Amino acid sequence: MAEHTIGIIMNGVTGRMGTNQHLIRSIMAIRNQGGVKLANGDVLMPDPIMVGRQEHKLQALAKTHGITRWSTNLDECLADERDQIYFDSQMTSFRVDSIRKAIAAGKHIYCEKPTAATLEESLELARLAKDAGVKNGVVQDKLFLPGLLKLKRLIDAGFFGHILSVRMEFGYWVFEGDWQPGQRPSWNYRKEDGGGIIVDMFAHWRYVVDHLFGKIRSVSCLGATHIPQRWDENGKSYASTADDAAYATFELDGGIVVQANSSWAVRVNREDLLTIQVDGTEGSAVAGLRDCKVQHRVNTCKPVWNPDIPNPFNFRELWSEVPDNQHFDNAFKIQWEMFLKHVHEDQPFPWDLLEGAKGTQLSELALLSWQKRCWLDVPELKL
């Protein structure tokens, strides 16, 4: 058994998502487990170099996790032939220029979504990567969550019969920042900095819906800025210029209707921060981030509308949990391992920059639908 090293430039890992999910729970977890096992029995070991703008944060992070390489100079990192992969989890507004440079330097590209603030830029990155012949991928982590993997298992088994509709509820109350610190960075609520729940979350809804239920053919969306004033990380008041809630309907192939509510101004009265209910002719399911429960047609009760008597059913007791039946690893780590094997031994990886552009496309169309107050078709994207 031989060990191979692969260098990864990690830009933006001092941010919340970059630190927790990508550095600690993915790359460091892979290193701690002894690398990624390859098809021939060899091992691939990631060797990260952290890049960012704030030297003190990089130094502290490197010391905490025993990482020897870090830099504030992206150009120097891109010139180093030891590093084959460029990863980007910066703010969306910084992403495009950095990825352009990385493609020009011949690096393989792996990045967070949205890949860009506009569809034009997202498609440009996909074309540049294709023309340069570099491998590329976009984080689509929710496909690897235990709850959604169980949901996919049900779909593949034909549990639902003909799927009729999907209801997605996402969100929680993000504190305004005056008497409780906000759980999300303040730029999320400034349109001029690339913020807004439509730009942030519809990239997720595109790949989740497309890969689980069918292609999105049209969209109708109403956005809102429910909380007009927030306080930033320094306690300074600012105006919220981006949407913090969105209420959308998607029409899919086969007539499936998806309703997707997304909000950072909603108090949770459901079993998880994200729940997806799927109703079909043969059965229904409700999936969260980790769990999934089902109700088949033979277990469906027969309620009758009569508000004059107490409800005779405990509806929740009539659902059954889908068992784990497998080990579920961290969703981000799973996809990182897949991308590393894609780069090193050319294993399949379907979630490329073009797939990422589809998320930006849906966000743009949703914002335009809100502006025009109308339904809009979602055309096929091609390079």
Side-chain angles (χ1 to χ4, degrees):
M1 181 186 75
E3 180 175 298
H4 309 272
T5 299
I6 185 166
I8 306 172
I9 301 166
M10 302 188 72
N11 195 356
V13 290
T14 56
R16 175 178 58 92
M17 186 69 71
T19 297
N20 295 327
Q21 294 294 3
H22 292 291
L23 182 63
I24 298 174
R25 295 171 190 165
S26 295
I27 296 302
M28 295 309 300
I30 291 170
R31 288 176 59 83
N32 292 336
Q33 75 182 16
V36 178
K37 190 172 182 179
L38 301 174
N40 64 358
D42 289 352
V43 170
L44 184 63
M45 181 65 72
D47 177 23
I49 176 169
M50 301 186 304
V51 183
R53 297 181 301 276
Q54 297 179 297
E55 183 175 323
H56 68 285
K57 287 187 176 182
L58 291 168
Q59 281 184 323
L61 205 55
K63 182 178 180 181
T64 299
H65 299 288
I67 297 173
T68 59
R69 300 198 299 149
W70 60 269
S71 175
T72 57
N73 191 320
L74 177 59
D75 292 336
E76 286 184 1
C77 294
L78 292 174
D80 193 331
E81 294 183 358
R82 289 180 296 174
D83 299 303
Q84 299 177 42
I85 296 173
Y86 171 77
F87 170 70
D88 195 298
S89 61
Q90 300 180 94
M91 287 173 53
T92 306
S93 55
F94 294 124
R95 187 162 295 145
V96 174
D97 287 342
S98 298
I99 293 178
R100 283 195 193 111
K101 288 182 178 181
I103 292 172
K107 307 300 183 185
H108 303 298
I109 306 299
Y110 189 48
C111 69
E112 266 290 356
K113 72 256 144 234
T115 55
T118 67
L119 176 58
E120 181 182 3
E121 289 179 321
S122 288
L123 285 173
E124 177 199 350
L125 294 181
R127 291 190 191 102
L128 287 173
K130 182 180 179 181
D131 292 345
V134 298
K135 293 175 179 175
N136 54 95
V138 178
V139 178
Q140 308 214 321
D141 53 284
K142 288 180 174 49
L143 293 177
F144 304 96
L145 290 169
L148 272 69
L149 289 172
K150 294 174 186 177
L151 194 56
K152 183 66 164 60
R153 189 192 304 165
L154 293 168
I155 293 169
D156 291 345
F159 172 82
F160 298 103
H162 175 62
I163 294 178
L164 306 171
S165 63
V166 180
R167 292 171 176 81
M168 302 171 61
E169 289 285 344
F170 165 79
Y172 49 97
W173 192 273
V174 176
F175 285 99
E176 297 91 327
D178 50 352
W179 71 285
Q180 288 276 342
Q183 306 96 299
R184 300 184 64 87
S186 58
W187 69 264
N188 282 171
Y189 305 95
R190 292 191 291 265
K191 184 177 181 179
E192 59 272 22
D193 290 333
I197 201 166
I198 293 174
V199 170
D200 188 70
M201 294 309 303
F202 277 46
H204 290 285
W205 303 157
R206 181 65 188 268
Y207 70 76
V208 167
V209 172
D210 274 1
H211 289 281
L212 288 180
F213 309 114
K215 292 182 179 179
I216 299 177
R217 293 306 184 191
S218 60
V219 57
S220 171
C221 181
L222 175 67
T225 305
H226 289 311
I227 309 296
Q229 183 183 21
R230 292 182 180 270
W231 284 258
D232 65 17
E233 293 78 3
N234 299 314
K236 184 179 179 181
S237 173
Y238 67 95
S240 301
T241 54
D243 43 286
D244 57 18
Y247 310 93
T249 305
F250 310 134
E251 184 180 34
L252 313 189
D253 281 346
I256 299 173
V257 177
V258 178
Q259 294 172 291
N261 292 331
S262 314
S263 179
W264 289 320
V266 61
R267 294 180 175 88
V268 180
N269 185 16
R270 51 193 135 83
E271 294 179 354
D272 216 328
L273 300 186
L274 169 65
T275 58
I276 303 175
Q277 177 164 336
V278 184
D279 290 299
T281 54
E282 296 296 316
S284 298
V286 178
L289 301 180
R290 301 198 63 83
D291 300 319
C292 182
K293 56 187 180 181
V294 294
Q295 185 177 97
H296 194 263
R297 63 183 302 192
V298 299
N299 302 114
T300 303
C301 62
K302 192 176 181 180
V304 176
W305 174 258
N306 188 346
D308 298 323
I309 62 172
N311 169 49
F313 300 106
N314 186 330
F315 292 108
R316 296 196 174 191
E317 286 185 352
L318 302 175
W319 294 72
S320 303
E321 289 288 339
V322 176
D324 287 351
N325 286 355
Q326 68 184 89
H327 168 70
F328 295 106
D329 207 343
N330 177 276
F332 290 86
K333 177 173 172 279
I334 292 170
Q335 202 177 7
W336 260 108
E337 290 178 334
M338 292 176 70
F339 187 73
L340 290 174
K341 288 188 281 189
H342 174 60
V343 170
H344 189 78
E345 55 185 8
D346 205 30
Q347 289 202 19
F349 193 89
W351 307 284
D352 58 12
L353 283 167
L354 181 58
E355 285 296 303
K358 292 178 181 178
T360 310
Q361 178 194 38
L362 185 63
S363 298
E364 277 198 2
L365 289 171
L367 289 165
L368 186 60
S369 170
W370 174 18
Q371 178 187 338
K372 292 189 172 183
R373 305 182 73 84
C374 68
W375 278 89
L376 293 174
D377 290 337
V378 181
E380 291 282 346
L381 282 187
K382 296 180 181 179
L383 293 181

